[in-house]
Amino acid sequence: MPRYHENTYGIVAIALHWTIALLFLGQIVFGFSMEQVKSLALQFELIQWHKSFGFLILILAFLRLLWRLAAGRPQPPATLSRVERVAAETVQWTLLIATLAVPLAGWALASTSTLGIPSFAFNLVVVPHLPLTPSDEAEAFWRETHKLLAYGAGMLAIGHAAAALAHHFVLRDDVLVRMLPGRAARPATHRVTLETNDDV
Ligand code: HEM
Ligand code: HEM
């Protein structure tokens, strides 16, 4: 049975979408800002928080992927052309994969650092390093990959958000509203059951 409806993504997908969107965009601004800090002690502290929120995004994105595969999504509006449907689907899958790939690349970066600094998630648990061999070359590779993926995904997300707003304010369809909470659900399938009563 689908967990979404014809006219809404459903509360689980909506909650995950907006939580991940906020954390992901915030994490890019945070990552950029912490790079500008001069004090090494403060930078160490900020990187630990950056890693913590990164691990949180990774877990939420994994749940989002499972939910998307299990529950599906509402059909695109009938007014969209085939090209527009394929473009929207491609961007959404790229963003979904990016929310996994960016923190994984960050984790690989922390794991290959020759400094061997542990990752303290929210000062609660030590997250083990990935089984990768630390070296200056590997660290430089994962730093560049992490950075490119993060800023690339950030730009794609801005385009994605602009498209969603254009749908709402210019095309005036319900693409954005289906991703907002508070909409009463209309079931995806309507089955009309005709009951017969033999006693009558
Ligand atoms: C979705 C989650 C994440 C996003 C969007 C993100 C984004 C960023 C950005 C934008 C930077 C600054 C890059 C620069 O301008 O040089 C950065 C740096 C960094 N990130 Fe992440 N990050 C995420 C998750 C993680 C995770 C999970 C880890 C590690 C477990 C991590 C480790 C680092 C480290 C160590 C740096 C500093 C790199 C350096 O030394 O230059 N990040 N991140
Ligand atoms: C902050 C501005 C954002 C707005 C206004 C926005 C809006 C939307 C809308 C309206 C949809 C449904 C599109 C449809 O049904 O065709 C959607 C889906 C989606 N968005 Fe966003 N979004 C934003 C940010 C983000 C960010 C930052 C990410 C990830 C980095 C993201 C990832 C996704 C994904 C993966 C989907 C597919 C549905 C799902 O599986 O959750 N969005 N977004």
Side-chain angles (χ1 to χ4, degrees):
M1 193 187 86
R3 276 81 156 183
Y4 66 89
H5 297 81
E6 202 171 279
N7 59 341
T8 170
Y9 268 81
I11 194 62
V12 176
I14 291 173
L16 284 168
H17 173 269
W18 291 111
T19 309
I20 295 170
L22 199 73
L23 288 174
F24 192 86
L25 295 176
Q27 183 80 332
I28 294 177
V29 176
F30 192 97
F32 174 79
S33 312
M34 76 188 185
E35 290 288 301
Q36 319 306 317
V37 170
K38 296 282 173 279
S39 151
L40 281 182
L42 178 60
Q43 197 177 51
F44 177 85
E45 187 73 18
L46 293 178
I47 289 181
Q48 289 300 340
W49 283 106
H50 178 79
K51 289 177 177 181
S52 303
F53 281 103
F55 288 126
L56 180 61
I57 294 170
L58 182 60
I59 293 168
L60 292 175
F62 186 62
L63 292 177
R64 174 72 196 109
L65 176 68
L66 292 183
W67 187 258
R68 169 79 180 239
L69 294 174
R73 57 170 289 222
Q75 288 299 311
T79 45
L80 290 195
S81 71
R82 210 183 113 72
V83 174
E84 286 170 322
R85 281 167 193 240
V86 172
E89 190 79 2
T90 308
V91 169
Q92 288 176 18
W93 274 108
T94 308
L95 285 176
L96 219 159
I97 291 165
T99 50
L100 293 162
V102 174
L104 280 175
W107 195 358
L109 158 62
S111 308
T112 49
S113 168
T114 47
L115 296 176
I117 299 170
S119 302
F120 302 103
F122 297 105
N123 284 327
L124 292 175
V125 282
V126 178
V127 180
H129 287 325
L130 291 170
L132 298 168
T133 312
S135 73
D136 288 342
E137 294 73 29
E139 185 183 358
F141 170 80
W142 285 114
R143 175 176 290 119
E144 217 39 46
T145 306
H146 182 56
K147 195 171 145 176
L148 283 176
L149 286 177
Y151 291 129
M155 283 193 276
L156 193 63
I158 291 171
H160 160 78
L165 293 176
H167 271 282
H168 190 70
F169 292 109
V170 182
L171 301 172
R172 294 182 186 278
D173 57 28
D174 71 345
V175 163
L176 179 61
V177 180
R178 319 187 298 173
M179 197 39 112
L180 296 177
R183 192 178 222 204
R186 192 168 67 227
T189 48
H190 307 276
R191 185 183 300 154
V192 180
T193 314
L194 295 174
E195 291 183 0
T196 52
N197 189 339
D198 294 339
D199 297 337
V200 177

